[in-house]
Amino acid sequence: MNDQTPRPQIDHAKALIKVKAFGLNRMDLFQREGHYPVPPQAPKTLGVEFSGIIEELASESESSFKKGDAVFGLAYGGAYAEYIAVSTHMLIHKPDELSWEQCAGIPETWITATQAMYLIGGFKPGKSILWHAGASAVSIAGQQLSSANGASAVFATARSDDKTEFCVKELGSKAAYNTETTDWAAEVLKATDGKGVDIIVDYIGPQTFAGNLTAAARDGRIVNLASLSGPSFKPGMAEPNFGLFVGKRLRMEGSSLRSRDEDYQGKLRDQLHDHALPKFKDGSFKVLIEKVFKWEDIQDAHRLMESNKTKGKIICTIS
């Protein structure tokens, strides 16, 4: 904590934010270990989502923002800090109904879920959807979005019974399956009368690949956002039936949010603001927080995330 980083400079449409809280994400762990491809415009400092107060505005900033405004937003990096410089195109005014901690847990997770569902998955009311890693922050957001926006059925997977129970009781999923103890793909087919699900959002990669092909419906879409089970198939993993790709006319697409340009991210910010923010205000959507740390205890926060035992966001506050 003795190293000092200069206060960021702002230009064009950027604002200087005094950070009140920031959210942790799995990518932070990978970046810390040198395994995450950081965008060229990102600073070395970790962190992509935050809440705070505007201290300065550059000349091309959005006119709806002014000095002293309470905001939250998404950045390419630099949120683990007392100050962050970020485009005003990626900011949202903080509602009075939400705390600094809650707002810091919204941008990355809810925008990623929106991107996966709509822009990649082609979600429309009446479609069914499965969220892997159901107790992760993005899937917590995704299950709420799916239910609220007219999914015919929402399913989830997780690696423990308490997490699958959490998905059903707290998030409203029709069913959730423990991937350690059940043939989740077979259970999904059974629950859908053999049809399968229209959209699968996956972070696991090789370990769930074969099951995804089985559980997907004809003309289904599989959205891959990460590969937590590693970059390649390992002994003991189920062998995929590649004939299902053709037989079911499946589409699989990988995607990431952080590597997208500002225009792309800005459109997702607008969608979050227009469609989700009212539901945060009235309590329909919930930001579920596992634990709040002081930012001096960031190592403990990372250890908690590494434990894979959380059901919600990990947040750090800066006093």
Side-chain angles (χ1 to χ4, degrees):
M1 300 298 294
N2 293 325
D3 293 337
Q4 295 295 316
T5 301
R7 183 181 295 194
Q9 300 298 308
I10 59 171
D11 54 17
H12 303 296
K14 289 184 178 179
L16 181 69
I17 312 296
K18 183 174 176 59
V19 178
K20 299 286 288 186
F22 59 83
L24 274 64
N25 291 281
R26 185 71 56 172
M27 75 178 81
D28 302 346
L29 304 182
F30 297 144
Q31 183 178 340
R32 186 197 73 200
E33 295 167 356
H35 302 313
Y36 191 93
V38 180
Q41 66 270 52
K44 293 181 180 180
T45 307
L46 302 179
V48 297
E49 59 183 351
F50 61 90
S51 60
I53 299 172
I54 296 177
E55 291 243 331
E56 298 177 28
L57 288 163
S59 59
E60 300 171 24
S61 298
E62 287 190 9
S63 59
S64 61
F65 295 102
K66 65 182 185 300
K67 183 178 179 179
D69 281 353
V71 295
F72 63 101
L74 185 67
Y76 287 107
Y80 286 26
E82 294 173 288
Y83 293 91
I84 186 171
V86 63
S87 170
T88 51
H89 303 319
M90 294 310 301
L91 293 178
I92 298 175
H93 286 98
K94 174 186 171 296
D96 292 336
E97 294 88 345
L98 298 179
S99 67
W100 295 111
E101 292 84 355
Q102 289 173 312
C103 286
I106 291 174
E108 169 67 18
T109 49
W110 285 79
I111 288 178
T112 297
T114 300
Q115 176 203 27
M117 277 180 61
Y118 287 96
L119 297 189
I120 311 300
F123 178 83
K124 294 179 181 178
K127 287 186 176 291
S128 57
I129 189 166
L130 165 69
W131 293 87
H132 282 300
S136 68
V138 174
S139 285
I140 287 172
Q143 288 166 82
Q144 294 182 72
L145 284 166
S146 302
S147 296
N149 293 333
S152 59
V154 183
F155 300 95
T157 69
R159 293 196 296 177
S160 66
D161 290 339
D162 67 314
K163 287 184 176 181
T164 57
E165 184 177 342
F166 166 78
C167 291
V168 174
K169 291 187 176 180
E170 298 294 330
L171 304 177
S173 283
K174 178 179 180 179
Y177 308 105
N178 186 335
T179 57
E180 300 296 305
T181 59
T182 63
D183 183 346
W184 61 268
E187 292 298 321
V188 168
L189 287 179
K190 187 185 301 183
T192 57
D193 296 324
K195 176 181 181 292
V197 287
D198 298 308
I199 303 166
I200 297 174
V201 183
D202 182 39
Y203 320 86
I204 313 303
Q207 190 172 354
T208 49
F209 186 82
N212 287 342
L213 299 184
T214 300
R218 176 167 288 185
D219 295 316
R221 296 188 180 184
I222 301 169
V223 185
N224 187 265
L225 300 179
S227 188
L228 297 179
S229 61
S232 58
F233 292 101
K234 300 174 184 176
M237 290 183 177
E239 290 191 7
N241 178 358
F242 283 93
L244 294 174
F245 258 129
V246 177
K248 291 186 177 183
R249 302 191 295 261
L250 299 179
R251 181 188 300 179
M252 181 175 180
E253 184 171 342
S255 185
S256 66
L257 178 62
R258 195 176 184 183
S259 61
R260 303 286 188 168
D261 63 31
E262 189 177 296
D263 182 62
Y264 182 98
Q265 292 190 4
K267 291 175 182 177
L268 286 167
R269 177 209 67 167
D270 293 343
Q271 188 169 3
L272 175 68
H273 177 274
D274 295 343
H275 299 291
L277 197 61
K279 293 184 179 295
F280 285 118
K281 290 181 178 180
D282 68 19
S284 301
F285 285 165
K286 301 184 185 302
V287 184
L288 299 177
I289 296 175
E290 175 73 24
K291 190 169 182 179
V292 177
F293 291 85
K294 294 180 180 179
W295 78 316
E296 292 89 348
D297 299 324
I298 186 65
Q299 292 181 339
D300 291 334
H302 273 225
R303 291 186 190 102
L304 178 59
M305 176 164 279
E306 289 168 334
S307 74
N308 295 319
K309 296 179 179 179
T310 59
K311 297 190 290 289
K313 290 296 295 188
I314 300 172
I315 304 293
C316 285
T317 57
I318 302 176
S319 55

